[in-house]
Amino acid sequence: MSLFNRKSTQPSVWLLVLLCLFTFFWRLGSVPLFDLDEGLYVACSRQMVLSGDYVTPRLNTHQSIPPYTTPTPFFEKPIMVYWLSAGAQRLFGTVEWAARLPVATLSLFTTLLIAYMGSWWFGRRAGFFAGVLYAIAPMTIVDARQMTTDALLVFWLLLTFFAFTRLTGVGKSPELTARARGGYVFLFWMGCSCALLTKGAVGLLLPGLI
């Protein structure tokens, strides 16, 4: 039975949500930008908001001579990490918690999807504890509370593998209608595409190898 069965399992889902709100969202902006990568990504996304240019990531630095030189293009990572952070900052302001909000939100979705897949294959209790263990893992908490690419990539790849298991009938997946198969095919390629836009070729390489 799925953890997300409407009749008897909503308390478990809400417990997971509350746990994630505490571990991922509570005082999300209380710590300044502390990682080199986070500083670079947030600086570029902030520059997108200020300039209105959402195509070219740029650092808000310039050469000393001449002082009016435009910000430096920065192409270290694909565009997704900048778009997500810039979108949140555009909505809520250029502050730390807004810059980190997308990664915390996708970490919440990752936890719920892990719980759903675990409960579908191994039972409600296993799914619930799988979600809990993921949400309280130290590396998960660190990744969910800073604007870097790792937690984003985990969600996109998990979404890809979830669609793949449904399409291939792994575990207890039911027989799919033609419409449902089309939806999971779309979900699979969307996950791959977003992973590619987040981390580069690994977004296609890992699903392809598996």
Side-chain angles (χ1 to χ4, degrees):
M1 182 180 292
S2 171
L3 180 70
F4 293 77
N5 182 282
R6 189 177 298 178
K7 293 181 180 179
S8 58
T9 56
Q10 279 194 0
S12 298
V13 176
W14 286 116
L15 282 174
L16 276 178
V17 171
L18 289 174
L19 176 62
C20 291
L21 290 177
F22 175 73
T23 55
F24 302 158
F25 293 87
W26 185 64
R27 294 178 58 82
L28 186 59
S30 61
V31 178
L33 305 179
F34 63 90
D35 181 83
L36 173 61
D37 288 339
E38 183 182 40
L40 294 173
Y41 302 153
V42 173
C44 287
S45 58
R46 177 178 179 274
Q47 191 64 30
M48 283 184 171
V49 175
L50 296 177
S51 67
D53 179 4
Y54 292 90
V55 176
T56 305
R58 298 179 184 275
L59 287 172
N60 57 344
T61 58
H62 57 73
Q63 302 172 1
S64 57
I65 302 175
Y68 50 80
T69 304
T70 56
T72 307
F74 185 75
F75 300 114
E76 180 176 323
K77 286 290 187 293
I79 198 71
M80 182 65 77
V81 65
Y82 309 118
W83 277 347
L84 292 177
S85 184
Q89 291 181 68
R90 179 75 181 269
L91 289 174
F92 303 110
T94 53
V95 291
E96 284 90 344
W97 72 265
R100 294 166 174 157
L101 186 62
V103 77
T105 303
L106 289 189
S107 295
L108 167 63
F109 292 158
T110 300
T111 303
L112 295 178
L113 187 52
I114 287 173
Y116 177 79
M117 294 172 71
S119 64
W120 187 271
W121 292 335
F122 305 110
R124 188 189 311 161
R125 180 184 177 88
F128 174 73
F129 281 108
V132 169
L133 289 175
Y134 180 79
I136 64 174
M139 188 57 71
T140 299
I141 296 173
V142 170
D143 285 341
R145 298 181 67 87
Q146 59 175 334
M147 190 61 205
T148 57
T149 59
D150 296 331
L152 304 177
L153 182 67
V154 168
F155 175 72
W156 300 129
L157 290 180
L158 182 63
L159 195 65
T160 300
F161 298 145
F162 168 67
F164 179 78
T165 59
R166 286 303 175 90
L167 289 168
T168 54
V170 174
K172 301 177 182 178
S173 298
E175 190 69 27
L176 299 176
T177 64
R179 184 174 181 179
R181 282 192 71 84
Y184 283 120
V185 168
F186 173 80
L187 195 65
F188 175 85
W189 288 112
M190 187 192 76
C192 286
S193 301
C194 291
L196 182 69
L197 289 173
T198 298
K199 200 78 170 181
V202 69
L204 289 177
L205 185 61
L206 281 179
L209 289 175
I210 292 171

